[in-house]
Amino acid sequence: MRVVVLTGAGISAESGLPTFRDAEGLWHGHRVEEVATPEAFERQPSLVHRFYDERRAALAAVEPNAAHRALARLEETLGDDLLVVTQNIDDLHERSGSRRVLHMHGRLRSALCRACAGHFDWTGDLGGAPPCPRCGRRELRPDVVWFGEIPYDMDRILGAVGRADLFVSVGTSGAVHPAAGFVQYAAGQGARTLELNLVPSEGSHLFDESRQGPASHLVPEWVAELR
Ligand code: BV8
């Protein structure tokens, strides 16, 4: 049974990380264009750095929750037949023990050098324009995929989604592409599709089954069923 699990901000909500669109969500107070586009970074690098430096610092104060841990347990059972594709830039999947995780929108604890294209594990601020560890240029940016940029690992992701027997979406509103289109692609390739979300998402009607509730309850329940 080859399983692909797509996760969004909702899986990390109960760990204390804000989602994007919920009431106090990340987009509140910041228009997307202001902080999550290459143009915004050109225009106001300090505002963009502050947005991501604050989120990177906040990571130290949160822990994975039961939903992250349940997926790590499922990896023990399924091994290479499980792939977690996350839109999240936090590291809670890895901190709960998951190894087979692809961050299609990048990672907060990584810096990308615009001069030498190097990627470097990074836990501190980038706002101070520190020099690149490899080329020394002060051209480091958050290693995240902004709107208008091409997501990471699309070949591996589409390959796995196209071969999946079961495609499961957890804690995502289905508002951002190309992630929002994976369910249709998976279904078109013959996979069963299941949504686990607090409320029906924009794409609920595209799934064979949609269950509503908090991820910390729905995911361990579903994993126990599957195991
Ligand atoms: C691209 C990183 C070309 C930065 C992010 C087609 C149609 C329309 C538009 C487009 C299209 N194709 C492309 C676009 C443009 C754009 C796009 O989709 N715009 C939207 C706004 C319409 N897409 C792009 O620009 C993408 N690039 O398309 O390149 C391409 C494509 C394919 C192949 C080659 C080239 C790049 C998009 C990536 C942008 N970067 N993040 C950062 O994090 O700051 S996106 C960011 O927003 C997240 O990563 C995530 O993807 C998205 C937020 O969505 P969610 O994670 O779902 O969060 P949200 O708050 O919305 O929802 C949370 C859900 O959880 C809710 O449903 C809630 O009910 C639920 N929930 C809450 N609590 C719980 C819960 N569920 C369970 N338990 C709980 N406790």
Side-chain angles (χ1 to χ4, degrees):
M1 153 88 69
R2 282 186 295 258
V3 180
V4 173
V5 179
L6 173 70
T7 66
I11 199 171
S12 296
E14 295 164 85
S15 292
L17 292 180
T19 65
F20 289 76
R21 284 174 183 75
D22 293 354
E24 297 318 305
L26 282 167
W27 293 150
H28 290 268
H30 297 287
R31 285 196 357 275
V32 175
E33 300 72 30
E34 270 173 24
V35 287
T37 64
E39 297 76 22
F41 190 64
E42 285 305 324
R43 243 189 350 263
Q44 296 177 296
S46 55
L47 175 68
V48 174
H49 273 313
R50 197 166 54 247
F51 179 64
Y52 288 101
D53 284 350
E54 284 167 5
R55 289 170 66 186
R56 194 175 304 105
L59 271 187
V62 300
E63 293 298 328
N65 63 59
H68 299 105
R69 293 193 294 273
L71 291 179
R73 280 199 306 280
L74 183 59
E75 187 180 306
E76 288 158 15
T77 305
L78 293 180
D80 293 354
D81 286 337
L82 174 69
L83 179 67
V84 173
V85 175
T86 188
Q87 300 167 80
N88 300 343
I89 60 178
D90 66 54
D91 60 349
L92 296 181
H93 282 301
E94 289 84 354
R95 280 161 55 187
S96 66
S98 286
R99 290 288 155 272
R100 295 183 48 74
V101 182
L102 291 180
H103 286 263
M104 69 180 294
H105 293 162
R107 297 182 304 123
L108 260 175
R109 285 185 162 168
S110 180
L112 170 63
C113 179
R114 303 197 300 168
C116 72
H119 298 261
F120 308 97
D121 287 344
W122 204 274
T123 52
D125 286 355
L126 285 171
C132 167
R134 184 163 67 190
C135 74
R137 305 275 300 282
R138 296 181 180 282
E139 289 287 347
L140 294 177
R141 58 162 272 183
D143 190 4
V144 298
V145 176
W146 285 323
F147 287 92
E149 295 185 323
I150 297 175
Y152 288 147
D153 298 314
M154 282 303 292
D155 300 348
R156 289 177 63 191
I157 292 170
L158 291 176
V161 172
R163 286 192 305 277
D165 302 298
L166 177 57
F167 175 83
V168 181
S169 174
V170 179
T172 183
S173 59
V176 171
H177 293 265
F182 291 166
V183 58
Q184 284 144 308
Y185 179 54
Q189 302 296 313
R192 244 181 63 67
T193 58
L194 169 66
E195 176 181 67
L196 306 175
N197 215 55
L198 196 60
V199 298
S201 73
E202 292 181 20
S204 282
H205 60 287
L206 300 167
F207 288 83
D208 296 313
E209 183 187 356
S210 179
R211 303 178 188 175
Q212 274 79 52
S216 65
H217 296 171
L218 293 183
V219 178
E221 221 171 67
W222 164 66
V223 166
E225 269 172 40
L226 202 62
R227 294 178 82 190

